[in-house]
Amino acid sequence: MFIRRTSKTGQEYGLKLTLFVDIEEYIGVFTPYSGARVLIHDAFMNGRVRAEGLSIATGEATFLAVSQNTVERVGGRYSDCAKNWPSFLKLNDEFQRQWPKYSREVCLELCIENEMALQCGCVDTFYRGYSTEHGINEGSNYTCETTHRRQSRCKQDVYRRYQNSELRCDCPQACSTTEFSQRRSSAPWPTERFAPHFASTMIKASSKRVQQYFNRAINDAKLSA
């Protein structure tokens, strides 16, 4: 993990990334589109990329302007908001140390995952080894496969029970939440004049996959010229 800090605002002082998505490695039937998912979230909370992430297209320069909003809820007689993870989730100490800030959305995800791990022997998220219960940890080691008929039926049944409120998930609102709103704009990238310079830089990249990709692209361009 690399930590970068800035104390100034504006485009020139933000995080800049050039992403290589390696489209040649995509599996056609499972990947109808190409790009990346970006998630901006509180450092003390585990982000939900699939549910809350932004889709960033290939062949574009995307700019994100971010603003932070904090909501504080009064508990006690005013609401049943929660500050800590509910005990019914059976989260181990390591998980709670890594993610000390309670999140209602993650609580609901883990509630579903617990049931899926126990009933199906597999899960549909990336959480691993987070529980105090052996059966949950065992099931969380395996991702439910789309092509596995029994696992797929079992997974869909768990989601159906959740949607029909047959699966009890007592996850109240968090007493404190931090949210990030984004404004997004984009432009075609790279330009025709910039592309040769960019390609000549990338063939010297540390990644062999990147080098191979751009060497092929340059050779194809020469053949078609």
Side-chain angles (χ1 to χ4, degrees):
M1 177 185 295
F2 296 95
I3 298 176
R4 298 289 184 267
R5 302 180 186 276
T6 183
S7 59
K8 299 180 179 179
T9 61
Q11 180 179 322
E12 293 303 314
Y13 303 101
L15 177 65
K16 298 178 182 179
L17 295 172
T18 301
L19 302 178
F20 177 63
V21 299
D22 205 359
I23 294 178
E24 293 179 355
E25 291 295 302
Y26 283 30
I27 301 174
V29 68
F30 297 120
T31 51
Y33 52 83
S34 64
R37 294 284 283 178
V38 175
L39 176 64
I40 301 169
H41 65 92
D42 190 316
F44 297 102
M45 298 175 64
N46 45 354
R48 304 164 63 241
V49 177
R50 287 194 302 180
E52 301 172 349
L54 294 171
S55 293
I56 304 298
T58 55
E60 291 184 351
T62 302
F63 306 92
L64 295 176
V66 182
S67 59
Q68 177 179 313
N69 306 298
T70 301
V71 177
E72 298 290 342
R73 297 181 178 88
V74 180
R77 62 178 179 174
Y78 298 102
S79 73
D80 62 349
C81 70
K83 295 181 179 180
N84 302 311
W85 294 100
S87 59
F88 82 90
L89 290 177
K90 301 178 181 179
L91 300 176
N92 58 29
D93 293 339
E94 182 180 350
F95 180 94
Q96 296 188 62
R97 278 196 301 269
Q98 185 175 5
W99 309 112
K101 198 168 182 180
Y102 167 73
S103 164
R104 181 175 185 269
E105 289 72 24
V106 175
C107 176
L108 293 172
E109 272 192 354
L110 290 171
C111 178
I112 297 171
E113 173 141 319
N114 283 358
E115 185 70 10
M116 199 175 295
L118 292 172
Q119 299 300 324
C120 309
C122 60
V123 293
D124 203 28
T125 64
F126 63 88
Y127 302 110
R128 298 290 183 268
Y130 61 88
S131 179
T132 58
E133 185 170 322
H134 174 74
I136 293 175
N137 283 341
E138 186 66 22
S140 72
N141 287 324
Y142 304 96
T143 302
C144 294
E145 298 180 15
T146 306
T147 55
H148 193 293
R149 186 172 298 178
R150 184 191 65 80
Q151 289 182 354
S152 183
R153 282 201 304 262
C154 182
K155 180 181 72 172
Q156 294 306 319
D157 183 62
V158 172
Y159 280 125
R160 179 192 59 78
R161 288 166 54 205
Y162 170 72
Q163 291 169 358
N164 294 336
S165 300
E166 298 171 10
L167 186 61
R168 180 164 181 173
C169 296
D170 187 13
C171 298
Q173 288 286 354
C175 292
S176 176
T177 58
T178 301
E179 300 172 348
F180 295 88
S181 58
Q182 301 102 21
R183 289 184 293 109
R184 176 171 47 173
S185 60
S186 61
W189 180 92
T191 61
E192 185 176 347
R193 289 185 177 275
F194 178 71
H197 167 74
F198 178 68
S200 64
T201 302
M202 287 296 100
I203 60 174
K204 303 173 185 177
S206 57
S207 169
K208 293 294 183 183
R209 291 286 301 169
V210 174
Q211 290 180 17
Q212 292 169 2
Y213 178 87
F214 279 94
N215 272 313
R216 283 197 302 271
I218 291 173
N219 290 333
D220 290 345
K222 289 178 179 177
L223 290 174
S224 60

